[in-house]
Amino acid sequence: MRIRRTVTTLALATALTTALTAGAAASASAAVAAPVAGASPSAAPTVAEILGHLPDAVVAGALVRQDGASATAGPVTADAYLRIGSVTKVFTNTVVLQLVAEHRIGLDAPARQYVPEVLPEAYGDVTVRQLLDHTSGLPKPARTPGPADGPGWQLRSVTPVDLLRESFAAADAAPTSRGEQQYNGLNSLVLGLVVEKVTGRSFTSELRRRIIQPLHLTHTGLPAADDPAIPSPHAEVYLDGQDVTEQSPYPWAEGGMVSTASDLDRFLTALFRGHLLPPAQQKLVFEVPDVPSAADNTNCAGTDACYSVGGLMRYRLPDGEYAWGKTGSRPGWDNGIFATRDLRHRVVYSLNPTGNGDDLPYIKALVNAGLAD
């Protein structure tokens, strides 16, 4: 499947973009309420209507699995493999909470006691819980390979330990405020290393034996650091005209996994039903710290924290109900998993952005449409 940029601007892109630029950028419901050709003026678009206007200049391909049924737009198949990006974090947090349940990791224990070679003394009182819910105050990640590095940048990698050391070296001596929530991928890297230290096995093997194998996620895995390939079938994705389909999975425990929409749907369902965690840890999956969201944290709407100990994002639907899920991106892919708490509705999406515009309105529209009664 080859996905390239298109030049046709269709009604959906125009409608959703207009809704945002007209002052509705902070409101998901406003984006969803934008009219779509063929839909009632007062009705929000359905998933089918949204996909019916793709591909366009902003989104080259789309795959949506709604309540167990998949649909696509553009050169993407329903069984396509995806680079799921930060959706990986939910898998990571689940493995850690399993180890908490086994009393092998202390939820409120200092993380440094497990990985003193990684966390500097200045971060010695950062707890495992604070890593899980992004209230740790770890510094911003150091720069990672990007287009500015020239051809082949997507194949370059950095080890988790090196990235952490570079990030701490570039930061101030003292951690930032822990009285707020600041989404940070370094938290997940530390957690992955903690898992390896307490189990004596690789994070990949723990992921496989604790989640992938029990749930029979036969199309899910964490590629080796030197494996840039993605199994077929898959989209061929481009960034600035360069094929970036093959890329380093260096984000590892914070964003390196590969999966499919059906496997992600199965994982999401099992997690919500409590099939992966005992009751005490299952409560934490939906527990959001009562702290403000950091001023430069663009992931949470409003001023309140939105990420739970389980790694899920609390997202308010247009009708006021909260849904839970996680977004994730890698070059060429924007993905997400979301569901109502009672699993009445669930949606898994994967978009292939062209780079010619912002696909966030599409994401909001698809999530809202996918979870609507």
Side-chain angles (χ1 to χ4, degrees), residues 88 91-92 94-96 98-99 195-196 199 201-225 227 252-253 257-258 263 267 276:
T88 301
F91 286 81
T92 299
T94 302
V95 170
V96 172
Q98 288 179 345
L99 290 165
V195 169
E196 293 192 331
T199 64
R201 290 182 287 265
S202 72
F203 176 75
T204 302
S205 66
E206 287 299 292
L207 186 67
R208 186 181 301 118
R209 78 183 191 89
R210 290 174 174 275
I211 297 178
I212 293 174
Q213 291 177 344
L215 295 184
H216 305 289
L217 305 181
T218 56
H219 304 290
T220 298
L222 179 58
D227 182 8
W252 192 54
M257 289 180 67
V258 170
D263 271 13
F267 167 69
L276 292 169

Short mmCIF file of all heavy atoms in Angstrom, two decimals, residues 88 91-92 94-96 98-99 195-196 199 201-225 227 252-253 257-258 263 267 276:
data_model
loop_
_atom_site.label_atom_id
_atom_site.label_comp_id
_atom_site.label_asym_id
_atom_site.label_seq_id
_atom_site.Cartn_x
_atom_site.Cartn_y
_atom_site.Cartn_z
N THR A 88 2.04 2.85 23.04
CA THR A 88 2.94 1.92 23.73
C THR A 88 2.96 2.18 25.23
O THR A 88 3.11 1.24 26.04
CB THR A 88 4.37 2.07 23.17
OG1 THR A 88 4.37 1.80 21.76
CG2 THR A 88 5.35 1.12 23.85
N PHE A 91 0.75 0.02 27.39
CA PHE A 91 1.29 -1.32 27.59
C PHE A 91 2.36 -1.28 28.69
O PHE A 91 2.38 -2.14 29.58
CB PHE A 91 1.93 -1.82 26.29
CG PHE A 91 0.94 -2.24 25.23
CD1 PHE A 91 0.34 -1.30 24.40
CD2 PHE A 91 0.65 -3.58 25.03
CE1 PHE A 91 -0.55 -1.69 23.40
CE2 PHE A 91 -0.23 -3.98 24.03
CZ PHE A 91 -0.84 -3.03 23.22
N THR A 92 3.24 -0.29 28.62
CA THR A 92 4.31 -0.17 29.61
C THR A 92 3.76 0.00 31.01
O THR A 92 4.19 -0.68 31.96
CB THR A 92 5.22 1.02 29.25
OG1 THR A 92 5.80 0.79 27.96
CG2 THR A 92 6.32 1.21 30.27
N THR A 94 0.91 -0.87 32.13
CA THR A 94 0.23 -2.09 32.55
C THR A 94 1.22 -3.12 33.08
O THR A 94 0.98 -3.76 34.11
CB THR A 94 -0.58 -2.67 31.39
OG1 THR A 94 -1.53 -1.70 30.92
CG2 THR A 94 -1.33 -3.93 31.81
N VAL A 95 2.34 -3.28 32.39
CA VAL A 95 3.38 -4.21 32.87
C VAL A 95 3.87 -3.78 34.25
O VAL A 95 4.04 -4.60 35.16
CB VAL A 95 4.55 -4.28 31.87
CG1 VAL A 95 5.73 -5.04 32.47
CG2 VAL A 95 4.10 -4.95 30.58
N VAL A 96 4.11 -2.48 34.42
CA VAL A 96 4.59 -1.98 35.72
C VAL A 96 3.56 -2.23 36.80
O VAL A 96 3.90 -2.68 37.91
CB VAL A 96 4.93 -0.47 35.63
CG1 VAL A 96 5.24 0.10 37.01
CG2 VAL A 96 6.11 -0.25 34.69
N GLN A 98 1.36 -4.56 36.92
CA GLN A 98 1.36 -5.99 37.22
C GLN A 98 2.46 -6.32 38.23
O GLN A 98 2.26 -7.10 39.16
CB GLN A 98 1.54 -6.81 35.94
CG GLN A 98 0.33 -6.82 35.03
CD GLN A 98 0.56 -7.61 33.76
OE1 GLN A 98 1.69 -7.94 33.40
NE2 GLN A 98 -0.51 -7.93 33.06
N LEU A 99 3.62 -5.72 38.04
CA LEU A 99 4.73 -5.94 38.97
C LEU A 99 4.47 -5.30 40.33
O LEU A 99 4.92 -5.80 41.36
CB LEU A 99 6.03 -5.41 38.35
CG LEU A 99 6.55 -6.24 37.17
CD1 LEU A 99 7.61 -5.48 36.39
CD2 LEU A 99 7.11 -7.57 37.66
N VAL A 195 11.51 -2.16 34.91
CA VAL A 195 11.00 -3.50 34.64
C VAL A 195 12.15 -4.47 34.40
O VAL A 195 12.17 -5.59 34.94
CB VAL A 195 10.04 -3.48 33.42
CG1 VAL A 195 9.72 -4.91 32.97
CG2 VAL A 195 8.75 -2.74 33.76
N GLU A 196 13.11 -4.06 33.60
CA GLU A 196 14.25 -4.94 33.32
C GLU A 196 15.07 -5.23 34.57
O GLU A 196 15.54 -6.36 34.77
CB GLU A 196 15.12 -4.31 32.23
CG GLU A 196 14.43 -4.24 30.88
CD GLU A 196 15.37 -3.89 29.75
OE1 GLU A 196 16.39 -3.20 30.00
OE2 GLU A 196 15.08 -4.31 28.61
N THR A 199 13.02 -7.67 37.03
CA THR A 199 12.71 -9.00 36.50
C THR A 199 13.94 -9.75 36.05
O THR A 199 13.91 -10.99 35.97
CB THR A 199 11.74 -8.91 35.31
OG1 THR A 199 12.37 -8.20 34.23
CG2 THR A 199 10.45 -8.20 35.71
N ARG A 201 14.93 -9.66 33.10
CA ARG A 201 14.66 -9.99 31.70
C ARG A 201 14.45 -8.71 30.90
O ARG A 201 14.19 -7.65 31.47
CB ARG A 201 13.43 -10.89 31.59
CG ARG A 201 13.65 -12.31 32.11
CD ARG A 201 12.40 -13.15 31.94
NE ARG A 201 11.37 -12.77 32.88
CZ ARG A 201 11.18 -13.37 34.05
NH1 ARG A 201 11.96 -14.36 34.44
NH2 ARG A 201 10.20 -12.98 34.86
N SER A 202 14.51 -8.83 29.59
CA SER A 202 14.31 -7.65 28.75
C SER A 202 12.88 -7.16 28.85
O SER A 202 11.94 -7.95 29.11
CB SER A 202 14.64 -7.97 27.29
OG SER A 202 13.65 -8.81 26.72
N PHE A 203 12.70 -5.87 28.64
CA PHE A 203 11.35 -5.32 28.65
C PHE A 203 10.50 -5.99 27.58
O PHE A 203 9.32 -6.29 27.80
CB PHE A 203 11.39 -3.81 28.42
CG PHE A 203 10.03 -3.19 28.31
CD1 PHE A 203 9.26 -2.99 29.44
CD2 PHE A 203 9.52 -2.82 27.07
CE1 PHE A 203 7.98 -2.44 29.35
CE2 PHE A 203 8.25 -2.26 26.98
CZ PHE A 203 7.48 -2.06 28.11
N THR A 204 11.09 -6.25 26.43
CA THR A 204 10.36 -6.90 25.34
C THR A 204 9.83 -8.26 25.75
O THR A 204 8.67 -8.60 25.47
CB THR A 204 11.26 -7.03 24.10
OG1 THR A 204 11.71 -5.74 23.71
CG2 THR A 204 10.50 -7.66 22.94
N SER A 205 10.65 -9.05 26.44
CA SER A 205 10.21 -10.37 26.84
C SER A 205 9.09 -10.29 27.89
O SER A 205 8.15 -11.09 27.88
CB SER A 205 11.38 -11.20 27.38
OG SER A 205 11.89 -10.63 28.59
N GLU A 206 9.18 -9.31 28.80
CA GLU A 206 8.12 -9.13 29.79
C GLU A 206 6.82 -8.68 29.13
O GLU A 206 5.73 -9.13 29.50
CB GLU A 206 8.55 -8.13 30.85
CG GLU A 206 9.60 -8.65 31.81
CD GLU A 206 9.11 -9.85 32.59
OE1 GLU A 206 8.21 -9.70 33.43
OE2 GLU A 206 9.63 -10.96 32.34
N LEU A 207 6.93 -7.81 28.17
CA LEU A 207 5.76 -7.36 27.42
C LEU A 207 5.10 -8.55 26.72
O LEU A 207 3.87 -8.71 26.72
CB LEU A 207 6.21 -6.31 26.39
CG LEU A 207 5.18 -5.58 25.58
CD1 LEU A 207 4.33 -4.69 26.47
CD2 LEU A 207 5.87 -4.74 24.50
N ARG A 208 5.93 -9.39 26.15
CA ARG A 208 5.41 -10.54 25.41
C ARG A 208 4.71 -11.54 26.32
O ARG A 208 3.59 -11.97 26.04
CB ARG A 208 6.56 -11.22 24.65
CG ARG A 208 6.12 -12.36 23.72
CD ARG A 208 7.31 -13.00 23.04
NE ARG A 208 8.06 -12.02 22.26
CZ ARG A 208 9.32 -11.70 22.50
NH1 ARG A 208 9.98 -12.25 23.50
NH2 ARG A 208 9.94 -10.81 21.74
N ARG A 209 5.35 -11.88 27.43
CA ARG A 209 4.78 -12.95 28.27
C ARG A 209 3.65 -12.46 29.17
O ARG A 209 2.81 -13.26 29.60
CB ARG A 209 5.87 -13.62 29.09
CG ARG A 209 6.36 -12.88 30.31
CD ARG A 209 7.49 -13.63 31.00
NE ARG A 209 7.81 -13.09 32.31
CZ ARG A 209 7.23 -13.48 33.43
NH1 ARG A 209 6.30 -14.42 33.39
NH2 ARG A 209 7.57 -12.96 34.60
N ARG A 210 3.59 -11.16 29.44
CA ARG A 210 2.57 -10.64 30.34
C ARG A 210 1.32 -10.13 29.61
O ARG A 210 0.22 -10.14 30.19
CB ARG A 210 3.15 -9.51 31.19
CG ARG A 210 4.16 -9.99 32.22
CD ARG A 210 4.81 -8.83 32.94
NE ARG A 210 5.65 -9.30 34.03
CZ ARG A 210 5.24 -9.60 35.25
NH1 ARG A 210 3.95 -9.42 35.55
NH2 ARG A 210 6.06 -10.04 36.17
N ILE A 211 1.47 -9.66 28.39
CA ILE A 211 0.33 -9.07 27.68
C ILE A 211 0.12 -9.71 26.31
O ILE A 211 -0.97 -10.19 25.99
CB ILE A 211 0.52 -7.54 27.52
CG1 ILE A 211 0.57 -6.86 28.89
CG2 ILE A 211 -0.63 -6.96 26.69
CD1 ILE A 211 0.79 -5.37 28.82
N ILE A 212 1.15 -9.72 25.49
CA ILE A 212 0.99 -10.15 24.10
C ILE A 212 0.54 -11.60 23.99
O ILE A 212 -0.43 -11.92 23.29
CB ILE A 212 2.29 -9.90 23.32
CG1 ILE A 212 2.55 -8.39 23.21
CG2 ILE A 212 2.22 -10.54 21.94
CD1 ILE A 212 3.89 -8.04 22.59
N GLN A 213 1.22 -12.51 24.68
CA GLN A 213 0.86 -13.92 24.59
C GLN A 213 -0.46 -14.25 25.28
O GLN A 213 -1.30 -14.94 24.69
CB GLN A 213 2.00 -14.78 25.13
CG GLN A 213 3.23 -14.76 24.24
CD GLN A 213 4.39 -15.56 24.82
OE1 GLN A 213 4.41 -15.90 26.01
NE2 GLN A 213 5.38 -15.86 23.98
N PRO A 214 -0.69 -13.77 26.51
CA PRO A 214 -1.98 -14.09 27.15
C PRO A 214 -3.20 -13.60 26.36
O PRO A 214 -4.25 -14.26 26.37
CB PRO A 214 -1.89 -13.39 28.51
CG PRO A 214 -0.43 -13.29 28.79
CD PRO A 214 0.21 -13.06 27.45
N LEU A 215 -3.07 -12.47 25.69
CA LEU A 215 -4.20 -11.92 24.93
C LEU A 215 -4.21 -12.38 23.48
O LEU A 215 -5.08 -11.97 22.71
CB LEU A 215 -4.17 -10.38 24.99
CG LEU A 215 -4.38 -9.73 26.35
CD1 LEU A 215 -4.42 -8.21 26.22
CD2 LEU A 215 -5.63 -10.24 27.03
N HIS A 216 -3.22 -13.19 23.10
CA HIS A 216 -3.10 -13.68 21.72
C HIS A 216 -3.05 -12.53 20.72
O HIS A 216 -3.73 -12.52 19.70
CB HIS A 216 -4.27 -14.62 21.39
CG HIS A 216 -4.41 -15.77 22.35
ND1 HIS A 216 -3.52 -16.81 22.39
CD2 HIS A 216 -5.35 -16.03 23.31
CE1 HIS A 216 -3.88 -17.67 23.33
NE2 HIS A 216 -4.98 -17.21 23.91
N LEU A 217 -2.22 -11.56 21.05
CA LEU A 217 -2.00 -10.42 20.15
C LEU A 217 -0.93 -10.82 19.13
O LEU A 217 0.22 -10.41 19.21
CB LEU A 217 -1.59 -9.19 20.95
CG LEU A 217 -2.52 -8.77 22.09
CD1 LEU A 217 -1.99 -7.51 22.78
CD2 LEU A 217 -3.94 -8.54 21.58
N THR A 218 -1.34 -11.59 18.16
CA THR A 218 -0.39 -12.21 17.23
C THR A 218 0.23 -11.23 16.24
O THR A 218 1.16 -11.59 15.53
CB THR A 218 -1.08 -13.34 16.45
OG1 THR A 218 -2.25 -12.83 15.79
CG2 THR A 218 -1.51 -14.46 17.41
N HIS A 219 -0.29 -10.02 16.20
CA HIS A 219 0.24 -9.02 15.27
C HIS A 219 0.81 -7.81 16.01
O HIS A 219 0.85 -6.71 15.47
CB HIS A 219 -0.85 -8.56 14.30
CG HIS A 219 -1.47 -9.70 13.53
ND1 HIS A 219 -0.79 -10.40 12.57
CD2 HIS A 219 -2.70 -10.26 13.62
CE1 HIS A 219 -1.57 -11.35 12.07
NE2 HIS A 219 -2.74 -11.29 12.70
N THR A 220 1.24 -8.04 17.25
CA THR A 220 1.77 -6.96 18.08
C THR A 220 3.16 -7.31 18.58
O THR A 220 3.42 -8.46 18.93
CB THR A 220 0.84 -6.73 19.29
OG1 THR A 220 -0.45 -6.33 18.82
CG2 THR A 220 1.37 -5.64 20.21
N GLY A 221 4.04 -6.32 18.59
CA GLY A 221 5.37 -6.56 19.12
C GLY A 221 6.17 -5.29 19.25
O GLY A 221 5.75 -4.21 18.81
N LEU A 222 7.32 -5.42 19.87
CA LEU A 222 8.27 -4.32 20.01
C LEU A 222 9.53 -4.70 19.25
O LEU A 222 10.29 -5.56 19.70
CB LEU A 222 8.59 -4.07 21.49
CG LEU A 222 9.58 -2.95 21.81
CD1 LEU A 222 9.13 -1.62 21.25
CD2 LEU A 222 9.80 -2.85 23.32
N PRO A 223 9.75 -4.12 18.08
CA PRO A 223 10.91 -4.50 17.26
C PRO A 223 12.23 -4.26 17.98
O PRO A 223 12.34 -3.40 18.85
CB PRO A 223 10.79 -3.60 16.03
CG PRO A 223 9.36 -3.18 15.99
CD PRO A 223 8.93 -3.08 17.43
N ALA A 224 13.21 -5.05 17.61
CA ALA A 224 14.56 -4.84 18.14
C ALA A 224 15.08 -3.49 17.71
O ALA A 224 14.66 -2.93 16.68
CB ALA A 224 15.49 -5.95 17.65
N ALA A 225 16.00 -2.94 18.49
CA ALA A 225 16.51 -1.59 18.23
C ALA A 225 17.11 -1.44 16.84
O ALA A 225 17.12 -0.34 16.28
CB ALA A 225 17.53 -1.23 19.30
N ASP A 227 16.05 -3.05 14.12
CA ASP A 227 15.08 -3.55 13.13
C ASP A 227 14.14 -2.43 12.69
O ASP A 227 13.17 -2.14 13.39
CB ASP A 227 14.29 -4.71 13.70
CG ASP A 227 13.31 -5.30 12.70
OD1 ASP A 227 13.35 -4.91 11.52
OD2 ASP A 227 12.49 -6.16 13.11
N TRP A 252 11.18 2.78 21.94
CA TRP A 252 11.16 1.64 22.85
C TRP A 252 9.92 1.62 23.74
O TRP A 252 8.81 1.59 23.21
CB TRP A 252 12.45 1.67 23.67
CG TRP A 252 12.78 0.46 24.49
CD1 TRP A 252 12.87 -0.84 24.04
CD2 TRP A 252 13.07 0.43 25.89
NE1 TRP A 252 13.21 -1.66 25.08
CE2 TRP A 252 13.34 -0.93 26.23
CE3 TRP A 252 13.14 1.40 26.88
CZ2 TRP A 252 13.68 -1.32 27.52
CZ3 TRP A 252 13.47 1.02 28.17
CH2 TRP A 252 13.73 -0.33 28.48
N ALA A 253 10.08 1.62 25.04
CA ALA A 253 8.96 1.47 25.97
C ALA A 253 8.03 2.67 25.99
O ALA A 253 6.96 2.63 26.60
CB ALA A 253 9.48 1.21 27.38
N MET A 257 6.34 0.38 19.68
CA MET A 257 5.62 -0.84 19.32
C MET A 257 4.94 -0.77 17.96
O MET A 257 4.64 0.30 17.44
CB MET A 257 4.57 -1.17 20.39
CG MET A 257 5.16 -1.65 21.70
SD MET A 257 3.88 -2.03 22.95
CE MET A 257 3.12 -3.47 22.17
N VAL A 258 4.71 -1.94 17.40
CA VAL A 258 3.96 -2.13 16.17
C VAL A 258 2.75 -3.02 16.48
O VAL A 258 2.87 -3.97 17.25
CB VAL A 258 4.84 -2.78 15.08
CG1 VAL A 258 4.00 -3.21 13.88
CG2 VAL A 258 5.96 -1.85 14.66
N ASP A 263 -5.76 -5.94 17.09
CA ASP A 263 -5.02 -6.27 18.31
C ASP A 263 -5.17 -5.17 19.36
O ASP A 263 -5.33 -5.45 20.56
CB ASP A 263 -3.54 -6.48 17.99
CG ASP A 263 -3.22 -7.93 17.65
OD1 ASP A 263 -4.16 -8.71 17.41
OD2 ASP A 263 -2.02 -8.27 17.59
N PHE A 267 -6.65 -5.50 23.14
CA PHE A 267 -5.93 -5.04 24.32
C PHE A 267 -6.76 -4.06 25.13
O PHE A 267 -6.88 -4.17 26.36
CB PHE A 267 -4.61 -4.40 23.91
CG PHE A 267 -3.93 -3.63 25.01
CD1 PHE A 267 -3.37 -4.28 26.10
CD2 PHE A 267 -3.84 -2.24 24.96
CE1 PHE A 267 -2.75 -3.57 27.13
CE2 PHE A 267 -3.23 -1.53 25.97
CZ PHE A 267 -2.68 -2.19 27.06
N LEU A 276 -6.27 -7.83 32.94
CA LEU A 276 -4.82 -7.75 33.02
C LEU A 276 -4.30 -7.38 34.40
O LEU A 276 -3.12 -7.55 34.68
CB LEU A 276 -4.30 -6.73 31.98
CG LEU A 276 -4.46 -7.13 30.52
CD1 LEU A 276 -4.17 -5.95 29.61
CD2 LEU A 276 -3.55 -8.30 30.18
#
